[in-house]
C-alpha cells in the first residue's frame, strides 16, 4: 500500500494546515491492514482506475466483545415471521447484470439515496472494484428482500453498501436487522472485526446505539470511548475554531498517553 497526503484548508491564524489522507491499495491482500489503519474505500471519482481509500472516523465492531442488545432482539422478533434466508455469495459467482438485481438496486437508490448521490453509473463502478468480494442476499419465500455488498477477507468484514425492500422498513426495521444479521453472521463464523463505515453527524447515532463492542478510529488509535463518539457526532455540524488537539485543555497529558 502507498499512503499519500493531499493539501486542503489553510488557516494561518491558528497554524492549521489540513491534509486529506489517502491510501492506494496495491494488492487485495492488504485489505485487513488498510481497514485496521482507519481507511475506507473512496468511490467518488469514476475515472480512478485503482482502489483508493480515505482516512476517516471509521467505526467497527470488535466481535470478541459483541453480544445482542435488547434492541437487536426486538428487531429480530419483528423480522422472524418473514422467515428470511441469508445466502453469502462470492461476487464472481453472482450475476451482477441480472435484471431483478439491477432493478432492485435502482429502485432503492431512487427512493433512499437519491440519483444525485448515487447514480447507476457510480453503482456499476463500485461493483467493479476488487474491494467488494461477496454479496449477502436476503430472501423470503422466493422474494428478494435485500442485498449487501461486502468486503470479506481473512477475519474482517466491511458492511459496505446495503439495499433493501423499503416496504418493510417501518414495519420490520429491515435495514437495521440486516446490519445486525451481518454482524451476527461474522461473529458466528469466527471473524474478528466488522467495519460499519464512517461515524459522523447525528445520523450515525443509530449504529452506535444499536451495537455492542464498538470502537472508532480517532486518528491514531481505535477508541472505545463511545460517550466521546456520541458527543463528536452530535457536534460535527457546529463550526470549529481549530482541530481537536489545539482545543484540548491538557495537551501535555494527551501527549504522555500517546
Amino acid at each position: 500500500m502507498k499512503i499519500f497526503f493531499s493539501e486542503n484548508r489553510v488557516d494561518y491564524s491558528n497554524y492549521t494546515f489540513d491534509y486529506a489522507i489517502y491510501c492506494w491499495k496495491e494488492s487485495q491482500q492488504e485489505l485487513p491492514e488498510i481497514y485496521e489503519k482507519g481507511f475506507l474505500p473512496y468511490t467518488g471519482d469514476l475515472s480512478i482506475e485503482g482502489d483508493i481509500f480515505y482516512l476517516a472516523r471509521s467505526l467497527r465492531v470488535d466481535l470478541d466483545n459483541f453480544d445482542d442488545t435488547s434492541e437487536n432482539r426486538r428487531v429480530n422478533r419483528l423480522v422472524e415471521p418473514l422467515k428470511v434466508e441469508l445466502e453469502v455469495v462470492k461476487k464472481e459467482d453472482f450475476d451482477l447484470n441480472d435484471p431483478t438485481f439491477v432493478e432492485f438496486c435502482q429502485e432503492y437508490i431512487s427512493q433512499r439515496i437519491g440519483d444525485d448521490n448515487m447514480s447507476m453509473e457510480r453503482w456499476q463502478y463500485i461493483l467493479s472494484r476488487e474491494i467488494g468480494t461477496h454479496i449477502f442476499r436476503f430472501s423470503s419465500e422466493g422474494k428478494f428482500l435485500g442485498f449487501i455488498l461486502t468486503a470479506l477477507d481473512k477475519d474482517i468484514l466491511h458492511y459496505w453498501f446495503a439495499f433493501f425492500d423499503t416496504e418493510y422498513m417501518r414495519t420490520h426495521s429491515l435495514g437495521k436487522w440486516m446490519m445486525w444479521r451481518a454482524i451476527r453472521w461474522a461473529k458466528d463464523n469466527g471473524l474478528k472485526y466488522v467495519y460499519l463505515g464512517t461515524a459522523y453527524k447525528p445520523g450515525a447515532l443509530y449504529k452506535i446505539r444499536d451495537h455492542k463492542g464498538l470502537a472508532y478510529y480517532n486518528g491514531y488509535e481505535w477508541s472505545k470511548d463511545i460517550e466521546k463518539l456520541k458527543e463528536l457526532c452530535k457536534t460535527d455540524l457546529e463550526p470549529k475554531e481549530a482541530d481537536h488537539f489545539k482545543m484540548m485543555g491538557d495537551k501535555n497529558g494527551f501527549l504522555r498517553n500517546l
Side-chain angles (χ1 to χ4, degrees):
M1 75 182 71
K2 291 182 179 177
I3 295 175
F4 62 95
F5 299 72
S6 177
E7 286 200 33
N8 193 3
R9 186 174 64 97
V10 174
D11 184 355
Y12 243 114
S13 66
N14 60 17
Y15 287 88
T16 298
F17 310 101
D18 290 349
Y19 289 83
I21 306 172
Y22 296 99
C23 175
W24 177 30
K25 177 177 72 66
E26 296 180 284
S27 74
Q28 188 73 355
Q29 289 70 36
E30 296 171 335
L31 266 185
E33 185 180 359
I34 290 172
Y35 282 108
E36 174 66 30
K37 292 181 181 293
F39 287 95
L40 292 167
Y42 172 68
T43 59
D45 187 337
L46 279 58
S47 69
I48 298 175
E49 296 178 357
D51 288 333
I52 300 297
F53 295 70
Y54 60 94
L55 188 66
R57 191 192 299 156
S58 179
L59 184 68
R60 77 179 183 188
V61 181
D62 182 342
L63 294 171
D64 286 340
N65 298 316
F66 174 78
D67 198 4
D68 295 341
T69 63
S70 58
E71 176 65 7
N72 296 151
R73 292 189 290 271
R74 182 191 71 82
V75 172
N76 190 43
R77 286 193 296 271
L78 286 176
V79 175
E80 275 181 343
L82 298 178
K83 299 180 180 179
V84 181
E85 296 181 5
L86 167 61
E87 299 172 87
V88 179
V89 185
K90 289 183 179 180
K91 190 175 70 174
E92 61 197 54
D93 297 330
F94 189 94
D95 184 2
L96 299 174
N97 296 313
D98 175 56
T100 302
F101 174 69
V102 173
E103 184 178 342
F104 191 100
C105 295
Q106 191 166 26
E107 185 172 351
Y108 183 86
I109 288 171
S110 297
Q111 292 181 3
R112 295 284 297 163
I113 303 177
D115 296 329
D116 292 340
N117 295 319
M118 174 70 81
S119 65
M120 284 303 293
E121 183 183 9
R122 183 185 172 207
W123 176 231
Q124 293 299 322
Y125 172 80
I126 291 168
L127 287 171
S128 73
R129 300 294 86 196
E130 187 182 34
I131 302 165
T133 61
H134 291 71
I135 305 286
F136 281 44
R137 178 168 59 197
F138 300 85
S139 61
S140 174
E141 299 180 344
K143 178 183 179 181
F144 293 128
L145 297 185
F147 301 89
I148 307 171
L149 175 63
T150 67
L152 177 59
D153 193 293
K154 296 179 182 176
D155 57 1
I156 70 154
L157 175 73
H158 177 201
Y159 183 103
W160 196 4
F161 284 97
F163 299 79
F164 57 87
D165 190 332
T166 57
E167 179 183 344
Y168 299 92
M169 182 174 67
R170 289 184 172 83
T171 57
H172 294 78
S173 297
L174 184 59
K176 292 175 68 172
W177 182 84
M178 285 170 52
M179 178 175 286
W180 166 79
R181 185 67 183 87
I183 297 170
R184 169 52 61 184
W185 179 91
K187 183 175 179 68
D188 292 345
N189 282 272
L191 275 62
K192 189 171 183 179
Y193 298 115
V194 175
Y195 292 86
L196 299 178
T198 59
Y200 288 99
K201 302 188 293 187
L205 289 171
Y206 78 95
K207 301 181 192 178
I208 302 165
R209 288 192 297 259
D210 287 358
H211 305 299
K212 290 183 179 180
L214 290 174
Y216 71 99
Y217 195 75
N218 61 14
Y220 63 95
E221 67 178 1
W222 288 95
S223 172
K224 296 180 181 179
D225 188 346
I226 301 306
E227 291 307 312
K228 176 64 175 178
L229 175 58
K230 291 178 181 178
E231 178 187 341
L232 290 171
C233 289
K234 291 175 181 178
T235 59
D236 276 330
L237 296 176
E238 298 176 4
K240 306 293 190 299
E241 296 178 2
D243 61 81
H244 287 284
F245 174 70
K246 291 189 180 74
M247 293 189 292
M248 283 182 183
D250 185 10
K251 297 180 179 62
N252 292 317
F254 169 79
L255 293 172
R256 284 191 294 269
N257 290 321
L258 281 176

